[in-house]
Amino acid sequence: MAWRLYALDVSRLEGMAGEAFSGATVWEEGYPASFQPLEEPWEARRADPVPWPEPLYFVDGRERVEAVLSDGRKLALLGCVAAGAVVYQQGNMRLLETRVRRVGVGLEEALRLGELVYEPLPLEGHPAPGDIFTALQEGLRKARTLLEEKLARALAGGLLVVDGPVRLRRQGPVLGYIKVHWARYLPEDREALLSTLKPGERTPMFRVRRKGQELASWYLRLPLTPEGVRPPESGLLRVETPLQGDFGALADLSLSLFPALASHPVKDPRAPQNLLPVGGLERELARRMGSREVVARILARHQDDLGGG
Amino acid sequence: MERIGVVLGRREATPLEFWVGVEGEGLLRLDDLVVVEGFHPKVGKVRYFGMVDHVAKAHEGESYDTDTFLAVEGKIPVSLAYVAHVSVTRIVPEEFFPPDPGSAVYLAREEDLELALYYDAMKNQRGSTKLPVGFLKSGEVAYLNLEFLNGVKGGHVNISGISGVAAKTSYATFLLKSLLESGVLEEAHQARVLLFNVKGEDLLFLDKPNLRLSEEAKEEYRRLGLSPTPFGSVRFLAPPKKEGEGVLPDVETRLEGVKAYHWDLVQFAQKGLLPFLFTDKGALTNLGFLVAHVTEKLRRLAEGQKGPHLLVADWPEGELPEDIAFDDLGRVRLKSFADLVRYLEYKLLGPETGEGEGDRAWTARQARGTLEAFVRRLRASVENVGHLVRGDRKGNPPDPLEGGEQVHVVDLAKLSPQGQMFVVGSLLSDLFAKKERGQYRGRVFVVLDELNKYAPRDEESPIKDVLLDIAERGRSLGVILIGAQQTASEVERRVVGNAAIRVVGRLDAAEAERPEYRYLPTSFRQRALILPQGMVILHQPEIPVPLLVRFPFPAWATKREEVLEDNSAEALRREFF
């Protein structure tokens, strides 16, 4: 059985990571019957500024598909995942640690191509032929989440902020923030509040249940300069935290934290939701994953080695 | 060896220059010397020595300039990049392939430093030729190869720099101190120095200890292998006062130990010094011819005479002396320069009364206009040099090759420009002629400031001819010119071009851009604008990069207030008994 290179230019396969969506509005598990506000009344809330807790960690990850292999019957995906953490301490934002792994989803044994080594990551289950790409990407995403989790476990104390939903298990407070809103959490009559939120304001908290996890969540509005035409959800961030400890205080803290870290549209196409430290971290991770062009050329040059396995 | 960083791979590394990323707490400054080891299987180990000529810091991870504000507020993570550009000074062995990015970079110290700056090559059959010339930024002693200064492989020094920041004169005197006392120059005791004091009375205290010399400065002299003492053997000469009886030196701050110098008329005529009164001979070619002719006539006239006065036989207007000697019968004594001028006027234009004609033997068939121009200029110079060329007492012109003193300081400060020209021209031509005839074995160092005045780029003058002669031939005859000027661009190219050692103090911004300073890398030209006191940039032929050199505070007084009075019992006893 010999692998051969199926596709190198896989840019069209990318960009699917993040919250899953299937084209239409995604309904949150149990919506709308189970909508449970945690605060009353349903109106915009403000909070006095509070100092940021220290240490304050940000963890984020990146994934990249580098090639798709085929042996005639099966597909395998070569990808790179990276995760990193930055810490805010004594007025400084400092890069803490980055980890980069190359994985081959669907491979049974490690694959060495030139100086690149892909660790095998068997494909889970038996996806239908039509879903094979999605399953491969799911595998890559899982590898990334694992890496992020490993990294987050090593961070002691303080508050952890993660990009995306709270999926990491951790002792101590965690905040997850969601930049893009495919899923709907609010009944229509409550959703009206979102468009009236002013920068620095948030909605009351409400309960979210996901895969057996109990979470408190709220929307907050980031400061966004008024120029240009924007959809109503621009500048809206959904934040969640496990429903434990003093989650109310975290909600108020989020109003001091996220607006201050919002990025500017001039510098970041994903502004303001893509937070400044996370943007910096992502750039750093991209760098540590190596130049995609160089990787593609190494793969192309060493494709003869593929047959060895 | 202290590891300081690595060769960068993001920027090109070449055999002649590369970039270094500085690690952690490392400190790399301009002028620091570094060494890198390279390896190639076919060549083996190669070591690159270089000097840092550019250092920079930047935030990596910032895409916009305003990201710095965010980084300061702690909102984005950035890393600090500290990089340095290194110009390679030497590769050992000479295999010109580039170092590998990622190679460790070390600070060059001790033996490495010596290799980096070619100190190991500074020697001849008889020993080391490392002349200490100051300190590098790192505090190590800087050397230059004496063979490029004493005439063996090259000679002459040229110093540029604006006034008032203690660069030109101070550095020239420091260099002399090192030359005479470091023991590197062979037979230093035979070397003679002719030092022109052109401004103030700065150089009239070379033999006095400096009151302000600190202990640290003394230590610095010791580290250079010199004693923190003033010059030991100095003779001071100043022009006489214009008015008053006798010949008293015209100095204000230094009251003892200065002798007045002047020429007597016979010396003036015999040595052919007349042309040095005509500094614009190029302006009129006929005039130049006439000057040469009259000079020759005067030389013949003075033949066999002893002076100080000049005797002439054919001048009805002069007074006959009372105490006339038998030999002098029928001859008139010229007792002053004014007399000489009047005599020449008579010889060239005829009697003052009426439209007479000059002596054909003297006029050399020149048109009356030329003769009149000559006389006019000569008359105008009476005021300027009348006290320097006299007939009333035996001449005593400075002669650095005579007497026991090693350093001869000749003061020009109070003289008119014409007087200064005359003295410099006369002394240099006399000195050069003596060396040409082989009258003195040792080397002679001539220190002359304001070269742009004496050897201007655009004009001709007899002094420029002498200076050109020294610049071009002096090296082989053992006459070394240590010239200085504010702007090298205004000095005759051949004079500057012949200097093997170039020194630059602080420069004017426009001046630094002129082609005369192209030998300096850009970074050094920029730094020449902000050089502090006591620092110079030194360029020597063997080392491909200039060195920034700090030299110690003068151990000799540079003005009256700095003179350390010796009030010990011993000194007072010497003074009074």
Side-chain angles (χ1 to χ4, degrees):
Chain A
M1 183 187 74
W3 290 104
R4 62 186 179 79
L5 217 49
Y6 180 70
L8 265 179
D9 180 19
V10 283
S11 50
R12 63 199 165 87
L13 301 173
E14 278 192 282
M16 313 281 274
E19 280 190 282
F21 78 107
S22 56
T25 309
V26 179
W27 302 100
E28 170 66 7
E29 205 178 322
Y31 169 87
S34 68
F35 173 72
Q36 281 178 31
L38 292 168
E39 284 173 306
E40 289 290 349
W42 189 257
E43 58 183 28
R45 285 167 183 269
R46 307 188 141 268
D48 292 328
V50 289
W52 300 353
E54 287 190 16
L56 175 61
Y57 299 105
F58 295 82
V59 167
D60 194 16
R62 263 187 104 117
E63 62 206 58
R64 185 167 81 192
V65 180
E66 293 184 337
V68 179
L69 306 181
S70 153
D71 69 345
R73 284 170 294 149
K74 284 185 296 178
L75 283 179
L77 180 145
L78 301 185
C80 183
V81 291
V86 289
V87 64
Y88 174 84
Q89 218 160 11
Q90 290 156 3
N92 258 321
M93 195 66 81
R94 190 158 53 82
L95 187 70
L96 214 52
E97 193 184 355
T98 55
R99 294 180 188 196
V100 178
R101 280 180 68 202
R102 299 208 129 76
V103 291
V105 188
L107 290 183
E108 250 106 62
E109 49 192 67
L111 186 63
R112 170 180 277 274
L113 291 165
E115 48 262 52
L116 304 176
V117 180
Y118 292 90
E119 301 167 35
L121 195 76
L123 198 57
E124 284 178 359
H126 297 281
D131 294 339
I132 186 80
F133 268 131
T134 323
L136 288 172
Q137 287 187 24
E138 193 61 33
L140 190 63
R141 192 173 151 202
K142 197 157 174 196
R144 179 189 78 155
T145 313
L146 276 172
L147 207 57
E148 284 179 21
E149 251 170 55
K150 223 186 222 170
L151 201 76
R153 260 201 298 278
L155 305 175
L159 171 65
L160 174 66
V161 180
V162 292
D163 189 2
V166 175
R167 26 175 212 275
L168 312 173
R169 311 275 169 182
R170 175 183 198 261
Q171 298 291 75
V174 185
L175 282 178
Y177 67 95
I178 294 93
K179 303 188 284 262
V180 191
H181 313 293
W182 303 115
R184 298 181 73 170
Y185 289 83
L186 305 178
E188 266 172 51
D189 58 326
R190 302 292 170 98
E191 253 183 358
L193 180 61
L194 295 184
S195 55
T196 61
L197 278 184
K198 292 197 179 60
E201 289 180 347
R202 67 172 175 90
T203 64
M205 292 180 281
F206 51 91
R207 182 194 287 259
V208 167
R209 192 172 291 127
R210 189 191 309 121
K211 290 174 188 161
Q213 225 183 339
E214 291 278 339
L215 301 158
S217 184
W218 60 95
Y219 285 90
L220 67 85
R221 167 94 48 201
L222 298 171
L224 185 64
T225 41
E227 74 267 24
V229 182
R230 293 175 208 287
E233 69 268 24
S234 68
L236 216 51
L237 206 60
R238 188 172 69 75
V239 187
E240 58 183 37
T241 181
L243 197 56
Q244 62 191 28
D246 193 359
F247 53 86
L250 286 178
D252 285 343
L253 168 67
S254 72
L255 290 178
S256 307
L257 192 60
F258 291 110
L261 295 175
S263 53
H264 193 276
V266 164
K267 298 182 184 178
D268 192 336
R270 290 187 288 165
Q273 285 99 324
N274 205 32
L275 302 185
L276 289 167
V278 176
L281 177 59
E282 283 176 348
R283 256 199 312 275
E284 192 66 26
L285 290 178
R287 226 170 66 201
R288 309 243 168 157
M289 287 159 87
S291 155
R292 97 165 287 128
E293 227 170 57
V294 173
V295 169
R297 285 176 193 186
I298 291 175
L299 293 179
R301 170 145 28 116
H302 291 278
Q303 59 178 319
D304 292 346
D305 304 351
L306 284 165
Chain B
M1 285 211 292
E2 188 185 341
R3 186 183 149 126
I4 199 87
V6 293
V7 176
L8 288 187
R10 196 174 77 82
R11 309 179 192 226
E12 246 178 20
T14 75
L16 298 179
E17 52 175 354
F18 54 83
W19 289 83
V20 177
V22 182
E23 295 172 325
E25 303 269 281
L27 174 65
L28 205 52
R29 298 160 295 185
L30 288 178
D31 308 321
D32 278 342
L33 292 155
V34 297
V35 54
V36 177
E37 255 174 38
F39 181 81
H40 191 280
K42 286 188 182 152
V43 179
K45 204 169 82 169
V46 169
R47 305 179 80 204
Y48 302 85
F49 296 91
M51 178 185 264
V52 175
D53 59 8
H54 178 82
V55 280
K57 280 186 181 182
H59 270 165
E60 282 180 336
E62 280 187 7
S63 349
Y64 297 87
D65 289 342
T66 47
D67 282 354
T68 310
F69 300 118
L70 298 174
V72 170
E73 288 163 25
K75 288 180 180 172
I76 55 170
V78 289
S79 49
L80 187 69
Y82 180 1
V83 298
H85 180 262
V86 172
S87 285
V88 173
T89 57
R90 191 176 194 182
I91 304 182
V92 183
E94 288 204 347
E95 297 284 354
F96 286 82
F97 71 90
D100 285 328
S103 308
V105 179
Y106 302 94
L107 278 182
R109 294 258 166 80
E110 290 154 14
E111 286 160 32
D112 289 336
L113 182 107
E114 304 218 334
L115 278 171
L117 296 180
Y118 294 79
Y119 288 173
D120 59 321
M122 293 184 185
K123 57 180 178 236
N124 57 19
Q125 309 86 313
R126 287 183 292 274
S128 166
T129 55
K130 283 160 67 181
L131 182 73
V133 287
F135 296 98
L136 297 175
K137 203 65 189 285
S138 59
E140 316 222 17
V141 177
Y143 295 97
L144 69 74
N145 193 347
L146 179 70
E147 298 202 312
F148 285 102
L149 179 50
N150 66 2
V152 174
K153 291 181 184 164
H156 310 311
V157 181
N158 188 269
I159 307 176
S160 308
I162 58 174
S163 290
V165 283
K168 297 191 305 258
T169 316
S170 304
Y171 195 66
T173 43
F174 169 72
L175 207 56
L176 288 176
K177 172 91 179 169
S178 182
L179 271 169
L180 298 179
E181 292 186 15
S182 65
V184 182
L185 179 71
E186 274 178 66
E187 298 176 338
H189 62 279
Q190 279 201 8
R192 288 294 169 96
V193 177
L194 174 57
L195 199 59
F196 289 103
N197 178 59
V198 294
K199 214 165 57 246
E201 295 184 357
D202 307 0
L203 294 174
L204 295 186
F205 300 98
L206 279 184
D207 60 339
K208 303 281 183 197
N210 193 322
L211 179 71
R212 300 192 194 148
L213 190 69
S214 61
E215 277 308 311
E216 297 93 79
K218 285 183 187 168
E219 187 51 40
E220 287 179 347
Y221 276 97
R222 284 181 203 114
R223 277 177 52 215
L224 290 166
L226 304 172
S227 60
T229 50
F231 286 84
S233 168
V234 196
R235 169 185 239 178
F236 298 98
L237 297 153
K241 283 189 169 138
K242 276 188 183 173
E243 58 279 335
E245 282 295 304
V247 258
L248 289 170
D250 190 5
V251 282
E252 273 163 17
T253 54
R254 173 150 188 158
L255 302 173
E256 28 62 62
V258 184
K259 280 201 175 136
Y261 65 84
H262 68 271
W263 285 260
D264 63 40
L265 285 172
V266 173
Q267 286 166 333
F268 177 79
Q270 282 176 342
K271 289 175 194 270
L273 304 183
L274 181 68
F276 298 111
L277 290 174
F278 293 84
T279 52
D280 57 348
K281 77 160 192 200
L284 283 167
T285 44
N286 283 347
L287 192 62
F289 177 75
L290 184 62
V291 169
H293 181 77
V294 173
T295 307
E296 198 44 47
K297 290 298 285 182
L298 279 175
R299 205 195 298 271
R300 244 181 268 161
L301 178 68
E303 245 169 41
Q305 296 205 28
K306 288 206 176 66
H309 46 265
L310 198 59
L311 295 170
V312 293
D314 50 357
W315 193 27
E317 289 169 40
E319 319 152 20
L320 277 176
E322 289 156 14
D323 53 342
I324 195 156
F326 182 72
D327 275 357
D328 301 348
L329 271 178
R331 300 209 267 185
V332 173
R333 273 188 200 182
L334 305 184
K335 284 196 292 188
S336 70
F337 185 67
D339 284 350
L340 177 66
V341 171
R342 274 170 49 224
Y343 173 66
L344 287 177
E345 186 177 350
Y346 165 74
K347 293 306 280 181
L348 293 172
L349 299 176
E352 271 179 58
T353 49
E355 289 288 303
E357 270 201 11
D359 183 341
R360 289 245 173 124
W362 286 75
T363 58
R365 293 177 184 276
Q366 293 295 312
R368 190 164 178 94
T370 310
L371 300 174
E372 279 172 350
F374 176 84
V375 168
R376 236 181 357 255
R377 279 159 211 249
L378 210 52
R379 241 192 254 138
S381 64
V382 170
E383 171 62 22
N384 291 332
V385 298
H387 60 306
L388 284 176
V389 182
R390 13 198 342 156
D392 55 350
R393 58 183 68 205
K394 190 102 185 98
N396 164 36
D399 185 351
L401 305 184
E402 276 180 5
E405 292 87 357
Q406 190 161 34
V407 180
H408 292 245
V409 178
V410 175
D411 182 40
L412 305 174
K414 288 252 178 57
L415 291 175
S416 64
Q418 190 185 29
Q420 294 184 334
M421 291 282 195
F422 175 74
V423 173
V424 172
S426 308
L427 286 186
L428 291 186
S429 71
D430 189 41
L431 173 72
F432 200 66
K434 280 186 179 151
K435 286 293 288 185
E436 261 181 326
R437 292 197 296 268
Q439 284 186 358
Y440 191 80
R441 276 192 60 235
R443 294 186 197 286
V444 181
F445 296 92
V446 176
V447 181
L448 180 58
D449 199 351
E450 298 185 10
L451 267 187
N452 46 335
K453 192 155 109 190
Y454 301 104
R457 167 157 293 182
D458 304 320
E459 293 158 44
E460 295 297 319
S461 80
I463 299 164
K464 181 169 161 179
D465 294 345
V466 176
L467 281 169
L468 268 174
D469 235 9
I470 294 181
E472 288 171 347
R473 296 194 299 133
R475 175 163 97 79
S476 52
L477 294 173
V479 182
I480 307 297
L481 177 65
I482 301 178
Q485 70 282 319
Q486 287 204 38
T487 50
S489 61
E490 285 165 14
V491 179
E492 168 62 38
R493 239 179 235 115
R494 284 146 67 201
V495 172
V496 180
N498 270 299
I501 312 287
R502 313 246 177 125
V503 180
V504 167
R506 191 188 299 178
L507 288 183
D508 171 67
E511 174 71 9
E513 290 308 313
R514 296 189 191 265
E516 281 70 22
Y517 303 95
R518 286 288 151 78
Y519 66 89
L520 291 176
T522 317
S523 62
F524 277 92
R525 285 210 293 273
Q526 287 170 352
R527 285 163 74 199
L529 310 184
I530 53 168
L531 274 185
Q533 225 167 24
M535 301 275 269
V536 291
I537 296 169
L538 183 94
H539 181 81
Q540 54 181 315
E542 268 179 332
I543 308 181
V545 292
L547 302 178
L548 190 74
V549 167
R550 183 174 58 81
F551 57 96
F553 191 74
W556 44 93
T558 59
K559 45 179 157 316
R560 171 89 240 168
E561 302 89 87
E562 281 179 352
V563 174
L564 179 65
E565 297 289 353
D566 188 357
N567 288 329
S568 65
E570 169 67 16
L572 290 174
R573 202 165 51 79
R574 256 189 284 121
E575 187 84 11
F576 292 111
F577 304 106

